[in-house]
Amino acid sequence: MGKSPSKTSPTPTDVLPLIPLAPPLAVLPGTTLKVPITNRADVAAILAKIYSISPTAKPDAAITVACVPLRSALVGREGGLLIEDGDAKGEQPGGFETDPVNATKKDVFGYACVAKVSGVQGRRQGELSLVVEGLERVEVLDVVQERPYFEGELRGVDEHVDVANPELAEQFNLLKQLSRELLALVRLSSILPRTPTVSLSPIVARRLELYIARKDLSEAGSLADFMANVVDCTHEEKLRVLAAIDVKDRVDRVIEILQRQISSIQGSTRITVTSTTIPVAHGSFDIDQLRRIQQEALKRRSGMTNSGSNGMPAGFPGFPGAPGQGGEEEANELEELKKRLQDAKLSPDADKVAQRELQRLQKMNPVQAEYQVCRNYLENLAEIPWTKTTVDQLDAKTLVKAKKQLDDDHYGLDKIKKRLLEYLAVLKLKEQANKNIDDQIKALAKSIAPIEEKGEKEKDKEEKVMKEPSEAELKLLEKKRMVDKSPILLLVGPPGTGKTSLAKSIATALGRKFHRISLGGVRDEAEIRGHRRTYVAAMPGLIVNGLKKVGVANPVFLLDEIDKLGVSNYNGDPSAAMLEVLDPEQNHTFTDHYVNIPIDLSRVLFIATANSLDTIPPPLLDRMETIQLSGYTTLEKRHIAARHLLPKQITTNGLHPDNIDMPTDVLDKIITSYTRESGVRNLEREIGSVCRSKAVEYATAKDTETLPQYNPVVTLSDLDGILGIEKFTEELTEQHSRPGVVTGLVAYSTGGQGSILFIEIADMPGTGRVQLTGKLGDVLKESVEVALSWVKAHAFELGLSAAEDEDIMKNRSIHVHCPSGAIPKDGPSAGLAHTVALISLFSGKPVPTTLAMTGEVSLRGRVLPVGGIKEKLIGALRAGVERVLLPEGNRKDVRDLPEEVKKGVGIEFVSHIWEGLGKVWPERWERAGGWVGESRL
Ligand SMILES: Nc1ncnc2c1ncn2[C@@H]1O[C@H](COP(=O)(O)OP(=O)(O)OP(=O)(O)O)[C@@H](O)[C@H]1O
């Protein structure tokens, strides 16, 4: 047995029972340990002895023993590492007994820990353990008894701490630092997936943190003992800590253990601070604090490495962003977010919110669900273009360029193009005016600046004279700045008439970014305005998403199919949400529910499209300027096909213009026999089919080297093979006229298409009943009744009855039918046609099939104007109508008709039924200007 270290002051010796502990167990002062006592006869004997000596001792009275670890071949009795130690000389490692039952005097270590037995734990025989609480470190001077239990002569050691020692103070601080670092790492690694480590409950971790923080230098030894006990260390390390009587020595040894432990955890846990890799678990911890500890430790450690006092590697595998290991490249996520927010040049309101949210985020635990929500929100804020804009190409050539662009992209549509150019002109003038004001403001600012540079006194004097009026002037000028409250355009027309492509052309002409928002089928208000942030997976709405996508605050937004926007339902009212977007007075403070900060939409150029106005709520319609696009005539379609659609399809299908030649008659045939639509979408599709077929032919010819035989010309006879049999016959008007059948005109509200409509009336013996079929609406039914009343009232004058008091319906019933029975029809515009059809039926005189008519009829027989003239006449021309009777009141509408229609259809105006009858049957129009009925002829 070696001598105790000389530093140890001689303190009273004592003899106490010894409990040898099997490796790797060792009790250190201030720690609690469970010593397994199954088959430990010595422990039983100790307890029996104590109780036999003092049978009156209360069971809870403190029993003091000394816990002594068994020796290791690698550590000397004094705790030094053995290289050539006399005690171990000639002994192999492992030469000491490891089972306390068989241990002898020579197997016990030179130092022990006096401990209080605080109880026995375990329910079953095999799992009993003695709970001991380490009290103080003692030196084992001698073992005085081995059986039935060990008894040793012990001497207390002096654990005095020299608080004046600066070296010790420094080492103690390092110990504390490392202890906290380790704790933080254990907590972090316990929440990371796939890291084999003990999990640490947040409460325990917090207590440990407090325990470490409260220790002061005088307790350096006990903190070292505590940390040595809690960390994972080898038996030898524990023995060396136990034997370290000198506190500085002990602190050094524990520091070494901690450093090794930290490196090993870091090695197995390379931390990526992306919230996706950290699952939600285990309460909270402060990632920033952890990061700070890491960085401090790193600084300190790299210093130590430089001085050579520590063998730790300089690299510090750990957090991205930690200096010294390339972490700067992987820029810290929060820093990056901060930078992105700075770059986004937020509005003052948004900036305030962003700063507040950033502060919240920094304090937040990344494993909290709220962290992700907050981060997403900030990312969204950073992506919204608050102030970024593109510069409009509004120079001297703008209008010329825009006109060219519109003409290049679209044939016809002159009225619409004119309106769009007006819009651009106004925009340009406003910008120019604003630029002039800006220049004046700049000039004023310059005139103020030199005053500020002058001496104080002089400055004061001059300021009174000059600065005040200048500032007022500035304000005045600011007021004069033109706010861009341009109207929102609504393009209405049948499908495929070029609404979308017109909007695109405007964006191109202006040099602005273009984004299309499809509103068709949007049933939920939240789709437009976003969800409130409190909802799970909340998102901004379509408008903010659009802004994020284009990345500038002044794009062209196409609000497509605004007429298909859902109406008010339990999910809110989407059209009401659009009101705020589209109102130039309100949209500079549009608030998305998710973003919850006013966003300026006044610089966005909104263009809406719709197929019909019927389903657009009036308040919404009121905020837009409507521009009507009607269907194209055959002639227009021919031009569009030749100039735009065919070249487009040729390139789409990989052909060269020389590879295909489609003559005008072929195009006409496709237009009239294979399509019947107001727009040109189907036409483009059919042309595409022909191009594809030609492409196959050309490719085959090329492959088989028969190119000379390839004929690029498409002939009329080819069409049958490529597009199938004709879908529509050209001649739609009836071949033979019959009494009671009249050609009317109809403009369908859905799709804005016009066509002819036959009115068929048949009579039969009966009692004056009127039957109506063909899905006729109420107004249409009423117009039949009006027509019948007028005819009945004027039957004698019309020559339909022999006497003035005779009822022409007395012995007959009539049936009015409008074919295409599945299509709903309504409106008063067939009144004239009904009247003429009734007179034709009763008089037996047929009406020419190529004559069509439209107009409302009043009871007095006046013919009143109706709507949809352009669509109706285009439809009439397509159907082969030659003459059309229109109400006098519609004369103004004819001016806007395409030339082709004006030339192709003979238009005659009537203001009264009598006049109309004269046009239908001119031979019966008395020269004197009156009608001659059959009976009176
Ligand atoms: N006047 C025109 N000149 C040239 N091409 C045209 C013209 N009108 C339409 N087109 C072409 O027709 C196609 C369909 O047009 P677009 O998609 O703009 O129709 P739309 O009116 O928006 O239809 P929808 O109401 O169904 O959205 C496009 O390829 C477009 O270029």
Side-chain angles (χ1 to χ4, degrees), residues 43 199 224 236 299 317 321 329 363 456 485 587 610 637 816:
V43 177
S199 62
E236 285 75 21
K299 269 185 227 154
E329 301 151 25
K363 283 186 205 141
E456 277 300 313
K485 280 183 190 162
N587 70 7
K637 283 187 188 176
V816 181

Side-chain angles (χ1 to χ4, degrees), residues 404-608:
K404 189 171 179 307
Q405 178 82 43
L406 289 173
D407 284 341
D408 283 354
D409 293 349
H410 300 91
Y411 172 83
L413 305 171
D414 294 334
K415 219 170 126 193
I416 294 110
K417 285 180 189 167
K418 194 171 149 250
R419 177 64 192 95
L420 293 176
L421 287 174
E422 280 167 15
Y423 180 89
L424 292 184
V426 171
L427 203 67
K428 189 177 161 214
L429 287 178
K430 271 190 198 169
E431 270 200 18
Q432 258 168 10
N434 282 345
K435 200 171 161 281
N436 290 344
I437 291 172
D438 281 346
D439 289 346
Q440 286 180 35
I441 291 174
K442 263 186 216 158
L444 270 176
K446 265 187 199 163
S447 72
I448 293 169
I451 302 166
E452 282 170 358
E453 284 158 19
K454 289 176 187 168
E456 277 300 313
K457 270 188 192 167
E458 207 182 333
K459 193 179 131 190
D460 278 357
K461 237 193 285 164
E462 283 189 41
E463 243 176 321
K464 273 185 195 112
V465 190
M466 285 188 69
K467 196 169 181 180
E468 278 168 28
S470 301
E471 273 187 355
E473 227 173 314
L474 270 179
K475 272 188 193 158
L476 203 75
L477 282 172
E478 273 295 341
K479 262 191 192 168
K480 271 193 199 164
R481 275 182 73 91
M482 307 233 178
V483 190
D484 189 11
K485 280 183 190 162
S486 24
I488 280 132
L489 301 178
L490 169 63
L491 305 176
V492 193
T497 42
K499 300 180 292 295
T500 313
S501 57
L502 266 174
K504 265 190 208 160
S505 298
I506 295 179
T508 322
L510 268 177
R512 289 201 189 183
K513 294 209 173 180
F514 178 81
H515 180 68
R516 179 173 162 269
I517 297 176
S518 183
L519 295 175
V522 170
R523 295 270 167 278
D524 192 347
E525 191 185 329
E527 275 187 63
I528 293 168
R529 281 172 157 255
H531 293 92
R532 295 205 183 275
R533 251 202 304 159
T534 40
Y535 286 94
V536 177
M539 289 275 291
L542 284 169
I543 304 289
V544 172
N545 270 340
L547 282 177
K548 271 167 56 186
K549 201 164 166 212
V550 290
V552 287
N554 65 340
V556 174
F557 270 179
L558 177 74
L559 304 170
D560 221 358
E561 320 283 359
I562 202 163
D563 54 331
K564 321 270 186 317
L565 195 64
V567 287
S568 176
N569 58 24
Y570 62 90
N571 281 328
D573 189 347
S575 57
M578 280 315 286
L579 284 182
E580 197 187 336
V581 176
L582 296 183
D583 193 339
E585 299 295 327
Q586 294 181 33
N587 70 7
H588 58 277
T589 53
F590 170 74
T591 314
D592 181 278
H593 284 156
Y594 180 83
V595 179
N596 210 15
I597 307 168
I599 299 175
D600 185 2
L601 295 183
S602 63
R603 280 168 295 174
V604 180
L605 170 53
F606 287 103
I607 299 177

Side-chain angles (χ1 to χ4, degrees), residues 887-905:
E888 184 65 47
N890 283 115
R891 196 180 277 274
K892 60 183 184 329
D893 299 305
V894 172
R895 259 183 279 148
D896 291 340
L897 284 179
E899 273 309 304
E900 188 196 6
V901 177
K902 283 192 216 165
K903 278 189 199 143
V905 184

Side-chain angles (χ1 to χ4, degrees), residues 230-301:
V230 294
V231 298
D232 197 10
C233 58
T234 63
H235 183 51
E236 285 75 21
E237 280 168 338
K238 276 186 193 161
L239 293 186
R240 295 187 68 210
V241 172
L242 185 62
I245 305 301
D246 180 49
V247 173
K248 191 174 163 298
D249 257 12
R250 201 184 309 162
V251 170
D252 280 351
R253 284 178 192 182
V254 175
I255 284 176
E256 212 172 285
I257 297 169
L258 287 177
Q259 282 173 335
R260 198 204 55 236
Q261 190 79 17
I262 287 171
S263 308
S264 92
I265 295 184
Q266 283 171 340
S268 64
T269 325
R270 193 178 159 77
I271 303 153
T272 322
V273 191
T274 58
S275 43
T276 42
T277 59
I278 301 177
V280 179
H282 296 283
S284 69
F285 72 93
D286 188 342
I287 192 88
D288 252 7
Q289 188 187 342
L290 195 57
R291 205 175 277 136
R292 277 198 302 279
I293 292 172
Q294 293 263 355
Q295 282 170 357
E296 275 168 35
L298 178 79
K299 269 185 227 154
R300 179 183 32 69
R301 211 178 284 192

